[in-house]
């Protein structure tokens, strides 16, 4: 029987991964896009997300009191982990302090000195994760770990987050290449797909996603 981790990867590849031409929030462009919210807001995907994150947290021995992250990518992840655990509290970090009421930036769990883990959906530049870490530290939390669902492995995302979180570690559940390979396999009805890291599409010259039997990008492989 597939593990929760494998089921989550399968769901991400099916629901959240798309090949094409996309502009990223970082300002760059990419031949693929990952919208994790179509998985983390899915009924089964939410449960799997909570289970996999919780397994990783327990394996690392971090023993946090709460989970939190920057709205809105982290929102469904925070809720999923809290519900699955049955004991971890959740908090959300606003992108800016609200201009009314108490004016606070941290919503939900607010116990100074508490051990917390910061979570996010996709890490590209790491900017949203870094904002959440900085806000958590400024409030008075002790950040014991940082996690993302999918790491794109580009734009200096990992070193940016590691620097902000230090000495706490940064962990990614999957890389974009993990999800991409699974997506290609799901959409190849004739043969097992082989991810071609350095190859170019024979038709248009864009990065190839398969070389079985020809070097083709996502748009031309079918």
């Amino acid at each position: 029987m597939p593990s929760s981790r494998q089921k989550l990867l399968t769901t991400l590849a099916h629901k959240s991964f798309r090949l094409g031409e996309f502009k990223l929030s970082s300002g760059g462009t990419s031949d693929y896009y990952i919208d994790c919210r179509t998985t983390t807001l899915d009924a089964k995907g939410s449960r799997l997300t909570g289970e996999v994150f919780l397994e990783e947290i327990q394996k690392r021995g971090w023993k946090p009191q709460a989970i939190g992250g920057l709205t809105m990518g982290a929102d469904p992840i925070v809720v999923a982990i809290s519900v699955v655990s049955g004991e971890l509290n959740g908090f959300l970090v606003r992108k800016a302090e609200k201009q009314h009421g108490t004016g606070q930036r941290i919503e939900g769990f607010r116990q100074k000195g508490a051990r917390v883990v910061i979570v996010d959906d996709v890490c590209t530049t790491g900017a949203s994760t870094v904002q959440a870490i900085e806000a958590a530290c400024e409030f008075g939390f002790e950040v014991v770990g940082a996690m993302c669902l999918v790491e794109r492995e580009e734009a200096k995302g990992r070193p940016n987050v590691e620097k902000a979180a230090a000495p706490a570690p940064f962990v990614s559940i999957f890389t974009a290449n993990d999800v991409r390979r699974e997506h290609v396999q799901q959409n190849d009805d004739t043969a097992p797909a082989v991810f071609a890291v350095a190859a170019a599409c024979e038709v248009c010259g864009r990065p190839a996603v398969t070389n079985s039997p020809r070097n083709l990008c996502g748009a031309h492989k079918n």
Side-chain angles (χ1 to χ4, degrees):
M1 179 179 295
S3 64
S4 294
R5 186 183 182 90
Q6 180 57 48
K7 289 178 181 178
L8 180 57
L9 177 60
T10 299
T11 303
L12 281 166
H14 176 64
K15 290 182 172 290
S16 298
F17 189 92
R18 295 291 180 270
L19 290 165
E21 295 182 3
F22 302 95
K23 184 174 181 179
L24 305 176
S25 59
S26 62
T29 58
S30 176
D31 69 334
Y32 71 92
Y33 182 69
I34 301 177
D35 180 4
C36 287
R37 284 164 294 192
T38 56
T39 291
T40 59
L41 289 169
D42 175 79
K44 293 181 180 178
S46 176
R47 176 178 52 79
L48 290 170
T49 298
E51 290 175 356
V52 173
F53 269 82
L54 186 60
E55 287 172 3
E56 190 68 31
I57 290 168
Q58 292 173 337
K59 183 176 73 175
R60 299 276 169 175
W62 289 338
K63 298 181 179 178
Q65 294 166 261
I67 306 294
L70 191 73
T71 192
M72 59 183 319
D75 295 6
I77 299 176
V78 170
V79 173
I81 299 171
S82 181
V83 169
V84 168
S85 73
E87 59 182 12
L88 290 178
N89 298 293
F91 66 91
L92 303 177
V93 180
R94 291 176 176 270
K95 294 180 180 179
E97 292 181 354
K98 63 181 181 180
Q99 302 303 307
H100 58 279
T102 58
Q104 62 196 29
R105 191 176 180 192
I106 303 288
E107 299 288 355
F109 179 79
R110 291 171 55 85
Q111 180 180 318
K112 292 184 182 295
R115 295 167 59 87
V116 304
V117 171
I118 300 298
V119 298
D120 211 339
D121 55 359
V122 178
C123 175
T124 304
T125 65
S128 60
T129 313
V130 170
Q131 285 185 57
I133 292 170
E134 291 176 344
C137 291
E138 182 179 346
F139 173 76
F141 287 141
E142 177 189 355
V143 176
V144 297
M147 305 175 70
C148 74
L149 180 53
V150 179
E151 180 185 355
R152 291 183 64 106
E153 297 183 291
E154 58 189 62
K156 298 182 179 180
R158 173 165 286 276
N160 289 341
V161 175
E162 289 179 334
K163 180 179 179 181
F170 171 52
V171 175
S172 59
I173 302 298
F174 304 110
T175 67
N177 280 338
D178 293 333
V179 184
R180 185 172 194 150
R181 280 192 292 267
E182 180 68 21
H183 177 83
V184 170
Q185 290 175 2
Q186 288 180 10
N187 289 277
D188 187 350
D189 298 327
T190 60
V194 179
F195 182 50
V197 176
C201 177
E202 297 174 12
V203 179
C204 65
R206 289 188 299 182
V209 298
T210 180
N211 58 12
S212 175
R214 302 171 58 197
N215 292 331
L216 298 171
C217 69
H220 294 110
K221 73 181 183 65
N222 294 322

